[in-house]
Amino acid sequence: MTQFFEPAERLKQIPPYLFKEIDAKKAEVKARGVDIIDLGVGDPDLPTPAFIVEKMQAAVADPGTHRYPAYSGMKGFREAVARWYQKRFGVELDPETEVITLIGSKEGIAHLPLGINNPEDINLMTSPGYPVYQMGSLFAGAYSHMVPLLRENAFLPDFHDIDPLTARDAKAFFFNYPNNPTAAVADKEFFTRMVDFCREYQIIAVHDAAYTELAYDGYNPPSFLEVPGAREVGIEFHSLSKTYNMTGWRLGMAVGNKDVLAALGKIKSNIDSGAFDAIQLAGIAALDSDQSCVRENCAILQERRDILVGGLKKLGYDVEFPRATFYVWLAVPPGMTSMGFTTHLLEKAGIVTIPGMGLGAPGEGYVRLALTVPKERMQEALTRLEKVG
Ligand SMILES: *Cc1c(COP(=O)(O)O)cnc(C)c1O
């Protein structure tokens, strides 16, 4: 039967879904009764800390939270974001103009191109990467130019490798450190080079900082806004999702350049009506807390990381201990593709991973594992890997 309507052209431009085969195989393996260990999902298995849940419970019972929220976010939440940026990064923000509340950072990332791009614009973005940079650009009619993240460059973009003609035409540059999926980190020296590059070519720098709080061995990932000139050329997206295990709550923020934020805010005020005030009140409690819940969370993730990566190394795999994020970027054995290795792990060991090429062509040669299962399951995964060889 033919469909009674033709979906919009832009939907036809969405790249083909590459995980169909893997989804089918996963269902087939599951149907065989195999106990699947899912290292594929980038979604914390641990609950939101109790004090945040309790704050929400009280806030939701207060009729004062039941009306339309303010478009750019509750003043109290924007002030809490400014306090947190000051305490965590030493970055001063004006909560009136340099902070905006988001319904999760994905929402802001997806909507930003509607506020900054004209059809046929070019946006630069690192690859492999979070697919939303590309999808948001596509929906705004802009082209995506992928900047490869390669191991020989420590998974940082090589600015010399970007064609100056492309750079001259580019409107924005999406980048993300600590990085999903490579787990690479960036220092302030790199951020300074990004500011220089964006200033030279008049490009809006768009940093996705979702993972700055998930770091190990005492490492403190910087904010892009810590470097001089950053807020003149760009903005930073952040989120409570990974920091406080709040992915389901939908709460994030964008900070930095006020003109870019105003453009995003204008789009948002015509599309959504802001994040639920009760959620923002819970967010204030999270940001204003002593952050011991974050340290406890990282300690759990670090133990899992040590078990998984230590075990993989012992088995001879080519892999590094990530300094941040809850991802492990594992090089596939020589002679295999990322898709082939993913299928192998699923069929032979009941382990789900994400093939690197599914997150962008330069991700070929790697699979992404997530530290989002308990340590006992990590051990079990290693035992199975040892058996299948
Ligand atoms: C998880 C994630 C986000 C955050 O998404 P929210 O919409 O805030 O839940 C943003 N960027 C990257 C790279 C992520 O992995």
Side-chain angles (χ1 to χ4, degrees):
M1 205 177 76
T2 54
Q3 215 165 276
F4 80 96
F5 81 108
E6 213 29 59
E9 280 305 315
R10 66 175 68 84
L11 293 193
K12 296 176 197 157
Q13 288 163 28
I14 294 177
Y17 181 66
L18 296 170
F19 302 132
K20 220 183 266 170
E21 238 171 277
I22 290 183
D23 287 349
K25 203 141 277 164
K26 190 170 150 184
E28 178 196 310
V29 172
K30 215 174 212 162
R32 265 196 268 136
V34 175
D35 164 32
I36 285 182
I37 301 175
D38 196 339
L39 302 179
V41 286
D43 190 354
D45 59 313
L46 298 163
T48 306
F51 75 93
I52 302 172
V53 174
E54 284 154 20
K55 182 69 199 180
M56 173 74 173
Q57 285 169 327
V60 79
D62 175 0
T65 65
H66 297 176
R67 308 186 67 192
Y68 281 123
Y71 284 129
S72 56
M74 184 184 261
K75 188 163 186 281
F77 180 75
R78 285 182 281 118
E79 287 169 349
V81 169
R83 278 194 298 279
W84 183 78
Y85 257 82
Q86 170 66 60
K87 227 182 339 183
R88 170 65 177 84
F89 301 114
V91 168
E92 199 89 44
L93 294 170
D94 176 359
E96 288 299 331
T97 58
E98 294 179 316
V99 181
I100 159 170
T101 305
L102 302 171
I103 310 170
S105 60
K106 180 180 187 178
E107 178 265 301
I109 293 167
H111 282 144
L112 177 68
L114 293 175
I116 62 173
N117 286 126
N118 291 313
E120 321 248 305
D121 273 359
I122 296 173
N123 288 338
L124 307 175
M125 58 197 69
T126 54
S127 176
Y130 191 51
V132 185
Y133 316 134
Q134 188 183 357
M135 292 307 130
S137 302
L138 171 69
F139 293 158
Y143 295 111
S144 296
H145 179 88
M146 299 299 167
V147 179
L149 299 184
L150 306 174
R151 185 182 202 164
E152 62 256 36
N153 301 324
F155 300 107
L156 295 168
D158 179 357
F159 293 107
H160 301 297
D161 217 41
I162 301 170
D163 176 9
L165 293 177
T166 305
R168 217 181 48 198
D169 286 346
K171 191 68 183 266
F173 195 155
F174 291 81
F175 58 108
N176 158 229
Y177 293 96
N179 183 257
N180 171 11
T182 66
V185 298
D187 58 14
K188 286 196 250 182
E189 191 267 332
F190 167 76
F191 286 155
T192 301
R193 283 192 286 134
M194 180 61 88
V195 168
D196 292 344
F197 180 81
C198 288
R199 195 186 274 141
E200 176 176 357
Y201 291 104
Q202 302 203 349
I203 294 172
I204 301 167
V206 182
H207 185 231
D208 178 355
Y211 292 97
T212 62
E213 303 316 288
L214 302 187
Y216 315 111
D217 309 320
Y219 174 60
N220 268 323
S223 159
F224 175 59
L225 293 180
E226 285 181 50
V227 302
R231 95 180 67 197
E232 279 73 57
V233 297
I235 65 169
E236 179 161 272
F237 285 102
H238 217 304
S239 169
L240 279 72
S241 286
K242 313 292 163 51
T243 306
Y244 304 105
N245 297 329
M246 287 175 73
T247 47
W249 297 56
R250 314 312 302 135
L251 187 60
M253 58 276 204
V255 303
N257 187 275
K258 61 180 175 16
D259 301 321
V260 177
L261 294 183
L264 171 59
K266 194 155 194 171
I267 294 295
K268 280 176 57 57
S269 69
N270 285 287
I271 291 182
D272 64 64
S273 295
F276 183 22
D277 278 349
I279 293 179
Q280 294 188 73
L281 286 167
I284 295 170
L287 293 170
D288 279 343
S289 73
D290 64 9
Q291 309 302 300
S292 55
C293 63
V294 181
R295 286 189 291 275
E296 285 158 25
N297 194 41
C298 287
I300 294 170
L301 292 172
Q302 183 166 331
E303 189 185 12
R304 292 175 178 179
R305 176 199 74 158
D306 291 345
I307 291 169
L308 183 67
V309 178
L312 288 168
K313 278 181 176 292
K314 222 178 266 167
L315 292 175
Y317 283 99
D318 179 7
V319 64
E320 305 283 342
F321 287 94
R323 296 178 72 193
T325 77
F326 49 42
Y327 301 113
V328 172
W329 194 233
L330 172 70
V332 307
M336 285 187 107
T337 63
S338 60
M339 202 60 107
F341 188 55
T342 297
T343 307
H344 173 78
L345 290 179
L346 183 53
E347 283 185 337
K348 298 291 185 318
I351 297 170
V352 176
T353 58
I354 299 285
M357 61 83 71
L359 299 168
E364 184 51 84
Y366 293 85
V367 295
R368 191 192 76 181
L369 316 181
L371 302 173
T372 49
V373 304
K375 61 180 177 182
E376 296 74 23
R377 301 291 282 166
M378 297 276 167
Q379 297 280 19
E380 169 65 18
L382 289 166
T383 306
R384 291 186 195 177
L385 283 174
E386 188 166 14
K387 261 191 221 137
V388 302

